[in-house]
Amino acid sequence: MEKRKKKKKSMWSVFFKPIKIILFMFLAVMVLGCLAGGAVFLKYQDEILACKEKADSIMSKTSKTDFSQPTDTRIYDSSGTLIGTINSGHYEYVPISEISENLQKAYVAQEDKRFYKHHGIDYLGLLRAGLVYVKNKGTITQGGSTITQQVIKNTYLTQERTFQRKLTEFFAAPQMEKKYSKSEILEFYCNTNFYANRCYGVSEASRYYFDKEAKDLTIWEAATLAGISNNPSRYDPVAHPETSQKKRDQIINNMAANKLITEEERDYAKAQPLTVAKIYEPGTKENYQTSYAIHAATLELMKNDGFVFKYVFNNKAAYDSYKEQYQEAYQSKSDLIRSGGFEIHTSLDTNIQNALQSTIDERLKKFKEVQENGKFALQGAAVCIDNRTGYVVAIVGGRGTDDEYNRGFLSKRQPGSTIKPLIDYAPAFETGFYYPSRLVNDHLFDKGPKNSGGKYYGPVSVREALNRSLNTVAWQVLADIGVDKGIGYLGKMHFTGLSYMDNGNISMSIGGFTEGARVIDMAKGYSVLANKGLYSSRSCITSIKSQYDGEIYNESPADERIFTEDTAYMITDVLKGTLDKPYGTGYGLGLTVPAAGKTGTTNSNKDTWFCGYTRYYTTAIWVGYDTPKAMPGVYGKTYSGRIWHDFMAGINKDLPALDWDMPSTVYVSNVDSRGEKTAKETGTKDLFSSIAEAAAKADATKWKEEEERKKLESQSQKNLENSLAAQQALEQAAAALQSLIGEMKGLEYQDSTAEEKVNTAQSLLAQLTGTPYYDSLKPQLDEAISYVSSLPKKEDSTKPQEIGPGITKPAETTAPVFPGEDDTGVDAEPGFSPGDIEDAPQFVGPGM
């Protein structure tokens, strides 16, 4: 049997056989891949779907603003002048048109060669990374991320190398490519990269390393930056210049290999030495203006979030709970502002600020003692408010401008007597039961305070008590109206130094706080009196702009009514006396425009204050040591008062001398010796409020008590006057009798005149019966009568004596003296107690 001949293979069969094998293998791999992929999906289905859902969520909310860092927060004064910068890296977002093409090429060559060809995912790069992933048994050591994926990672994800993060990038990248162009994505990339040494974004990196704009980067400079962002800690040219240069040259080679630069450009770029400029622009040092502006802006952001501020607390639990909430919210917003991205415009007037600072420094310059930290031991702080707007225009936190600790709003100190108008007298005027002329008994009483100088005046008007700063009167007033009522008014004026331990603390009447009061709070409180009883919640913020959200400052709510206009007017009228009454504690500090104010000095003169105002400005001044200690010879008037005077005289000098308008519900009335209204003309007048009187009558129980008090006081006054009149009559009778006894002992004979003197003397002695005068004068009179009886008698002629023809001389007689007649010739000044009339101002001791 013949063997079959082998069939000769055709050329086509030889050609297609390898292709068939490859196709078969490809199909097998595809099937196996699908099976493996299906198995993987089934096993990790939940995680994969979670990553897909996360990617969808990210891309549905993405915005161009997401791809920038916060710029430095900048603060401006009232004229728009930059007064402070908070360095958050000096970040600046730059568009792709202002980024050097050299840097764009460097990134494409090094990070993503197929950037302009793929749609967010480089599958070849991903396959390469996948093989390495399998080789390393599930550990990711090499990325396959495109520039698009890196933008997503830099902006929305962490730097941690995990399967979940890579998968999220995988799902998100194609969506980003649909939403943004390649140029936009590369722009995002350059602006979101970190370049070491606090350099975020290409703009700051270009300035720091090469002192130039991003658009001007050369090839070698661009390659250096591309290398740094690849691994900032390893390729930092400042810390690791050698490794940085190697990375730079590698990137330059890649640029040439990908035909993005010529070989000549490559060689020239690699030949350049790696030099960096290290141009670091620190933020401006915080000063008194900027620190207060940041604080005030922080509070405004808290308000925007609906934070409810509280000032008065019922107990420790409420106080501690609020304090914790406040500190957490405050720190969060303060950190946000300091992290950058804000533009803060303020009402702070740099000219007024400089005037206030220089006045404090000049007045305290002779105190040269310094603390261990190098700061002046004796310090001063002040706040000035423009009453026409309610805004703070100046705040000084200490001597000089190098101390960053702003005592104007950070320090809480005992306010002394400056608190009296706000917690004692204005709240008392609101009740209607107190008014400027009302008398209060100034006396030393058990467990009560002492007056400065140890002097007490008995019944004294509220007006005089406030001008003299009498502690016992203020104490009694607050005790009468209720301590918590007075504290409640401070709470309405946003005093932040109030503690739950101050509840019922009667020492608050004279400034005895548990924590103390801030200078800013005292200034805001006195501005209420200056502004007809209205409180303005404005601080110094006029605008806050966010880099991402635009204008975010919500205007402060309308001014809040704290005191009636009547009360504010009457307290202001009283406080004018502090400056212009000889017994006023601030006498001599008056201005050329109407002004009112109050001194304050605490125990041992540890804190000294002056708070005062005109129609235009309110200014509060504090002088003392950071660690409180006695300051002998330093009072509210001596330094704080003079600082206030010098500064206020300067800023008010060119303004019209406007006074406060008296409200139609305030009227002037005669007052009697008890300080009460009377229809009689007494020569003494004072202010009363019909609104306050209506408020008093509305409190029926208290009104009845006050009416009874007035009746009792009236009767007591009458009894006292009668007693004084009777005593005065006795004194006059005794004096007249003593005089007659002397005259009787000087007689030379008995006549009708002698007899008349004896009769008058006996009548006067009868008036003195039962008094000590009687016992002492009766023996003297008996002796005088006995003497007269022993004298020779002389006939008494009642006929006129003839001197000459037609001229007669009248008989001499002695004018009788009647008890009760006495003219001292002195008209006592209203408000003075007996013995208080002086030609010169009285010395006022510390505390006022």
Side-chain angles (χ1 to χ4, degrees), residues 727 730-731 733-739 741-742 745 761 764-784:
Q727 180 63 29
L730 290 175
E731 291 174 355
L737 178 56
Q738 188 73 57
S739 177
I741 291 172
K745 289 183 177 181
L764 290 172
L765 182 63
Q767 294 180 37
L768 299 173
T769 302
T771 70
Y773 297 114
Y774 183 89
D775 295 336
S776 64
L777 293 177
K778 185 178 185 304
Q780 298 180 42
L781 180 57
D782 290 342
E783 183 182 345

Side-chain angles (χ1 to χ4, degrees), residues 146-164:
T146 62
I147 286 176
T148 307
Q149 288 175 279
Q150 291 184 56
V151 169
I152 294 169
K153 175 188 68 177
N154 290 346
T155 307
Y156 301 110
L157 306 174
T158 67
Q159 298 297 315
E160 185 179 4
R161 292 184 173 185
T162 64
F163 176 77
Q164 289 83 358

